[in-house]
Amino acid sequence: MSRKVKIAPSLLSADFLHLAQELRATEEAGADMLHIDVMDGHFVPNITIGPFIVEAIRKATALPLDVHLMIEEPERYLRDFVSAGADTLTVHLEACTHLHRTVSWIRESGLKAGVSLNPATPLWSLDSILPDIDLVLLMTVNPGFGGQGFIQGSLEKIKALRKMLLERELPVLLEVDGGVKPENAKAIAQAGADILVMGSAFYTSGDYQALMRTLRETLSDV
């Protein structure tokens, strides 16, 4: 039986000068959710947006907001992003000293809790936290900048995580972020991804609706 793989355009690659129009066009194209990358210039070498922009985005779209905190000490800012209207908050295992406490607080606040791994972080580091989260986000580029190429060895990591989730019978979503494009979307989905984050490939496509039609057709038999 085929399953629906969700598409989450990453606003990091959108035109921020015309953000309201970009949000409308993304929603009209049929995206399943919006991926929002929050970077602090410390955990990753880039600075992006904060809770005030997330709050503005929340007012402009009905799409679920998938907020990815690529920041040090994310627990300091959780309340701000909850108030801003996030639906999912994902923190990095590498940046979170008290991971169980953090994801527990996110879920107690009524949001879905995700944990992200950088490309070099092994899957076994998730072992103790998997039963307590809703989502794992595997980075398939080194985080910090959009437009990077997919790390090919990541396909085996995706397959291994899918196997781990199936063996433990855990209803945890598997999200993939980094270098996802129409040419590799099916292979990534077949490896086990439930959610594909697509940044530059989406927002430089020139026709969001045509791209979504292509992706739906490509992924229809996964």
Side-chain angles (χ1 to χ4, degrees):
M1 181 182 295
S2 63
R3 58 192 170 87
K4 183 182 179 182
V5 178
K6 295 184 177 180
I7 306 299
S10 173
L11 286 177
L12 181 65
S13 298
D15 179 359
F16 271 68
L17 186 62
H18 304 98
L19 187 54
Q21 295 95 310
E22 289 277 61
L23 291 169
R24 283 196 295 273
T26 303
E27 191 167 352
E28 290 169 0
D32 297 292
M33 60 184 71
L34 290 169
H35 188 80
I36 303 174
D37 290 307
V38 177
M39 307 182 190
D40 62 359
H42 294 281
F43 180 66
V44 292
N46 198 2
I47 298 173
T48 56
I49 67 175
F52 293 120
I53 301 298
V54 174
E55 184 177 7
I57 293 168
R58 173 75 290 159
K59 292 174 181 176
T61 182
L63 288 173
L65 302 186
D66 176 31
V67 178
H68 179 193
L69 300 180
M70 289 183 269
I71 61 177
E72 294 180 355
E73 299 182 89
E75 61 277 0
R76 295 175 56 195
Y77 304 98
L78 297 177
R79 196 177 303 277
D80 294 331
F81 285 102
V82 171
S83 299
D87 295 286
T88 301
L89 280 179
T90 296
V91 298
H92 268 262
L93 181 145
E94 304 89 353
C96 207
T97 304
H98 301 289
L99 186 58
H100 183 269
R101 179 192 300 167
T102 299
V103 298
S104 296
W105 191 92
I106 293 171
R107 295 181 97 180
E108 288 165 6
S109 299
L111 277 67
K112 292 181 180 178
V115 170
S116 185
L117 297 186
N118 284 336
T121 303
L123 290 178
W124 58 256
S125 58
L126 287 168
D127 192 62
S128 296
I129 201 66
L130 274 179
D132 302 301
I133 59 177
D134 302 289
L135 177 150
V136 174
L137 171 56
L138 291 184
M139 294 301 301
T140 47
V141 298
N142 289 293
F145 297 95
Q148 300 182 66
F150 182 85
I151 297 172
Q152 286 303 316
S154 301
L155 280 177
E156 294 306 313
K157 192 174 186 180
I158 297 166
K159 292 176 184 177
L161 178 55
R162 171 54 61 197
K163 184 171 183 252
M164 184 188 303
L165 295 174
L166 288 172
E167 288 176 347
R168 298 181 64 172
E169 298 182 346
L170 293 171
V172 177
L173 294 172
L174 200 171
E175 184 172 8
V176 173
D177 182 4
V180 180
K181 52 190 177 181
E183 294 79 7
N184 61 16
K186 186 168 187 175
I188 296 169
Q190 287 177 329
D194 298 299
I195 303 169
L196 303 180
V197 177
M198 188 174 290
S200 57
F202 185 92
Y203 285 106
T204 63
S205 67
D207 188 333
Y208 305 161
Q209 294 193 20
L211 175 61
M212 286 299 300
R213 286 194 298 271
T214 298
L215 288 170
R216 296 295 189 209
E217 181 177 350
T218 299
L219 300 170
S220 62
D221 59 349
V222 172

